[in-house]
Every structure is written in structure tokens, then in C-alpha cells.
Amino acid sequence: MVISELLNKGNDLLNRADIENHKNEVKLILCKLLDKDQSFIHSYPDYELDKEIESKFFDIINKRVKAYPLQYIFGELDFYNLKLKVSESVLIPRKETEILIEKIIDIAKEFEEPKILDMATGSGAIAITLAYNILNSKIKALDISEDALNIARINKENYKLNNLELFKSDLFENVNERFDIIVSNPPYIKTSDIKDLQREIQYEPKIALDGGTDGLKFYKIIISKAYKYLNSGGYLAFEIGSDQAKLIDSLLNDYGYTDIKVIKDYAGHDRIIIAKVSGGEI
Ligand code: GLN
């Protein structure tokens, strides 16, 4: 089969399965399999593909027809300035989370040797990116899932990050020190909303999505304890659901955090909230 025919067939199958953005996806899949960039497939529509590529292509298309995420199929994705490994054991890092990274990189400049804790690290997306981009930082990252930590460990190993320590912990369970910045993108979807989210999301670990009945379970726990683990003048930073800013703002207020700021994402939705702790001592 030649390139143009293969792309048409792939398009047709994904279109019938209601996969958004399928035109881009089929090209992406073929480029990845051929290890070429898009200019190659545009320049050589009549290039005859070998049988092995063809069969790999349709294996992938058949998974995408069932809305299985492309990032799990490839086992990696581009995130910030890195390539990260992912598997079904971890949430697929989202573009929006890069805004949180930018912000942390910025506030970390206030500290000589910033000590940062990433809670519910999953693939390690936040911790790995911070450890890679803030050279003088000391980062710790935790997750309750050993399977998730194993993926984070691969990512850490790939970038040889000596300033990052990964450990298993149910939130603050195994945390015994203070930090300058605590950051988290915890699970924040209401339990009852998960089933209505797009088909791709149903393949992601429920434990990484489910924020309890009101979606706020993890914010409540973290906010009520984080100040005991923050140095004076330290920061608490979260990614949040677009309808949660008000509630989380008032929770932060109740616990005495100050300088609360909400930052919007690329779509104009509230997505990040950052607050300062004044004292730090209990
Ligand atoms: N911290 C990881 C991320 O931002 C995982 C978050 C999660 O599993 N809720 O991608």
C-alpha cells in the first residue's frame, strides 16, 4: 500500500469512530512508525510502504478506534522541554500543567537552593521537569502508587537527575521535613463526573482522576497540613479544576495562607492557584 492510500484508510476508520483531530493523528502515527517528519509523507504520497509498517499502522488505528490514548500507545510524550515515559499506571501529563511548571520556575528564583515537594507525582511530570530546569533545586516527589513511581523512576533515570528523590507516601504520611515550595496536581474530578468525560480519559487510572464526591478531597487534606511542612515565606501551588478556584481560595484563606493568586490556562479557565504561608510554624 502507498502512503496516500494508507492515510486515507486510517482517516476513514478514525472518522467513523468519531475520533477528533484524526487527520493529524494518522499522519503523526505514520511519521512515528517511519521515523520521518511530515514533509516526507507530503512529498512522497506514492511511496510504497512495507508490510510490517502497514500492519503496525493498522494495529495502532484499531486501538485508536476504541479511543485508547495515543500517548499510551507510543508510551511517551513531549512535556515542557522533555520527553516523558508514560503507561496506563499514570495520568497523561496535560499541556495546562506546563503553566504550573513555568510559575514554579519563576518563584523558585526567590530561593538560593529551593527545596520543592511534588505531591501525587504520577509520571513525575512536575518533579522531573522542575529538577531538570532548576539546577540548584532539591526536589522530592511522592505518590501512593508504586506502579506510578516506577514510571517516574524511569523518567528520572533518563535525565540522570541527582537532585530528585522519589518515594512512596500517602500524602504527608512519610514526609518529615520542610520545603520552600509544595506543589501538586492532585486528582480533582468529582467521582460522579468521571464516567461522562471523554472516552480516552476512561483508560487513565481512576486513582489519578478521582477527587472524591466534591472533587476537593485532596486539596482539603493538603491545605490543612501543608503549612506544617513549609518554611516561613514558602509557597503552596496547585493545578485546579476550572470551577474550583473560589472554593479553594476560601479554604486557603481559612487556614491563614496569604497572597492567593489564580492563574488562567490557555483556554481562559482558572487552572492554577498559588498561596504563601506566612509563619510556617504550627
Ligand atoms: N503530577 C502528575 C501530573 O501532573 C500526575 C497528577 C495526577 O495523577 N493527578 O501529570
Side-chain angles (χ1 to χ4, degrees):
M1 200 179 291
V2 299
I3 286 185
S4 59
E5 193 185 352
L6 184 100
L7 291 177
N8 283 336
K9 288 205 161 135
N11 259 321
D12 190 42
L13 286 164
L14 291 192
N15 188 26
R16 273 192 274 156
D18 274 335
I19 301 296
E20 278 175 37
N21 216 1
H22 55 88
K23 287 210 166 113
N24 255 331
E25 268 200 21
V26 288
K27 287 191 250 173
L28 218 101
I29 294 166
L30 183 58
C31 285
K32 186 100 178 171
L33 289 174
L34 290 170
D35 197 19
K36 302 259 191 232
D37 55 35
Q38 297 228 359
S39 62
F40 179 84
I41 58 174
H42 289 141
S43 310
Y44 304 103
D46 297 326
Y47 178 90
E48 183 70 34
L49 296 158
D50 58 55
K51 287 270 170 288
E52 203 188 319
I53 297 279
E54 209 178 293
S55 98
K56 280 187 185 161
F57 177 84
F58 286 108
D59 280 351
I60 294 177
I61 295 291
N62 286 331
K63 287 184 183 160
R64 283 300 293 138
V65 161
K66 295 181 206 131
Y68 190 71
L70 201 55
Q71 295 89 338
Y72 288 156
I73 295 172
F74 290 152
E76 64 174 22
L77 83 168
D78 293 319
F79 181 77
Y80 203 75
N81 55 353
L82 305 177
K83 251 195 199 335
L84 295 179
K85 294 273 174 233
V86 289
S87 78
E88 276 187 46
S89 304
V90 298
L91 186 91
I92 298 165
R94 305 295 204 269
K95 259 295 181 239
E96 287 75 14
T97 309
E98 296 181 351
I99 304 171
L100 180 58
I101 309 266
E102 284 283 358
K103 194 66 204 167
I104 304 288
I105 291 177
D106 197 36
I107 58 178
K109 291 179 187 142
E110 292 178 26
F111 305 92
E112 213 170 293
E113 198 179 68
K115 282 186 71 183
I116 304 175
L117 173 67
D118 174 22
M119 308 189 74
T121 195
S123 62
I126 297 174
I128 304 277
T129 312
L130 293 178
Y132 183 85
N133 288 289
I134 312 175
L135 294 181
N136 54 339
S137 64
K138 285 214 166 0
I139 317 262
K140 294 205 176 186
L142 61 86
D143 205 283
I144 193 171
S145 156
E146 195 60 52
D147 291 340
L149 285 169
N150 283 333
I151 297 295
R153 284 181 190 117
I154 296 174
N155 285 318
K156 174 187 160 168
E157 189 51 38
N158 283 347
Y159 287 100
K160 306 259 173 285
L161 299 169
N162 299 322
N163 56 340
L164 169 64
E165 187 186 311
L166 297 158
F167 63 105
K168 187 170 178 193
S169 184
D170 180 359
L171 299 176
F172 290 104
E173 181 191 22
N174 298 322
V175 181
N176 315 305
E177 62 195 299
R178 287 180 189 264
F179 296 86
D180 299 311
I181 302 169
I182 295 180
V183 57
S184 185
N185 174 23
Y188 59 70
I189 319 268
K190 288 183 188 158
T191 311
S192 58
D193 285 351
I194 295 178
K195 59 174 188 339
D196 302 323
L197 296 175
Q198 73 188 84
R199 289 186 294 158
E200 278 82 354
I201 297 180
Q202 308 304 326
Y203 291 97
E204 294 189 83
K206 294 284 172 288
I207 190 182
L209 299 168
D210 191 343
T213 342
D214 60 1
L216 299 173
K217 178 174 149 189
F218 294 99
Y219 300 109
K220 286 179 178 163
I221 302 173
I222 296 172
I223 289 170
S224 70
K225 295 185 176 167
Y227 63 92
K228 300 177 193 170
Y229 298 91
L230 279 166
N231 290 322
S232 168
Y235 291 87
L236 177 59
F238 290 119
E239 180 172 322
I240 58 171
S242 55
D243 57 349
Q244 295 172 328
K246 249 199 160 130
L247 288 162
I248 296 174
D249 183 312
S250 85
L251 270 171
L252 286 162
N253 237 314
D254 292 347
Y255 280 92
Y257 296 84
T258 58
D259 296 49
I260 305 168
K261 288 195 183 63
V262 176
I263 300 165
K264 292 190 187 303
D265 64 16
Y266 310 108
H269 299 129
D270 292 340
R271 189 60 62 195
I272 310 294
I273 195 161
I274 300 194
K276 249 186 135 144
V277 70
S278 38
E281 291 79 30
I282 321 160

